[in-house]
Each structure stands twice: as C-alpha cells, then as structure tokens.
Amino acid sequence: MFPNTESIIRLIGAVLQDDHNDWSVGHRIFDMKEYYDKLSSIQSNLLKIKAA
C-alpha cells in the first residue's frame, strides 16, 4: 500500500499535525481572563493592606 517507510511516516505526521491543530484552536473550557481579573483584584487588595 505504501511504497516506502518515509511515505507512511509523512502520512502519520500529517494526521497528527491536523489533530494537534484542531485541539489547539478548539473551544476553551476555562477562560483565563476571569482568572487574571480576580488575581489582579486580590493583588491590589494585598498591596493596600501592606501599605496600611
């Protein structure tokens, strides 16, 4: 079916790359913006406490 070893390696590589691309740009379950907003708020509150 495949003329040589390199051809099957290229095919497998292409399939893996396509799967990786689909996974890396897919729907994000956890939104980091909300996390960083809360982290920023906590840090500013800590700085206020330390300054007092």
Side-chain angles (χ1 to χ4, degrees):
M1 183 170 193
F2 295 98
N4 54 33
T5 306
E6 289 81 17
S7 64
I8 186 65
I9 291 172
R10 281 193 304 269
L11 176 63
I12 291 171
V15 170
L16 291 174
Q17 184 177 12
D18 185 52
D19 283 349
H20 173 74
N21 289 340
D22 291 346
W23 176 82
S24 64
V25 296
H27 176 69
R28 295 181 190 257
I29 296 172
F30 181 68
D31 184 14
M32 294 298 289
K33 182 183 179 324
E34 181 181 347
Y35 169 79
Y36 286 121
D37 289 345
K38 287 182 181 180
L39 180 63
S40 176
S41 173
I42 291 169
Q43 287 174 335
S44 65
N45 287 337
L46 288 174
L47 288 175
K48 289 176 187 175
I49 291 170
K50 286 183 180 180

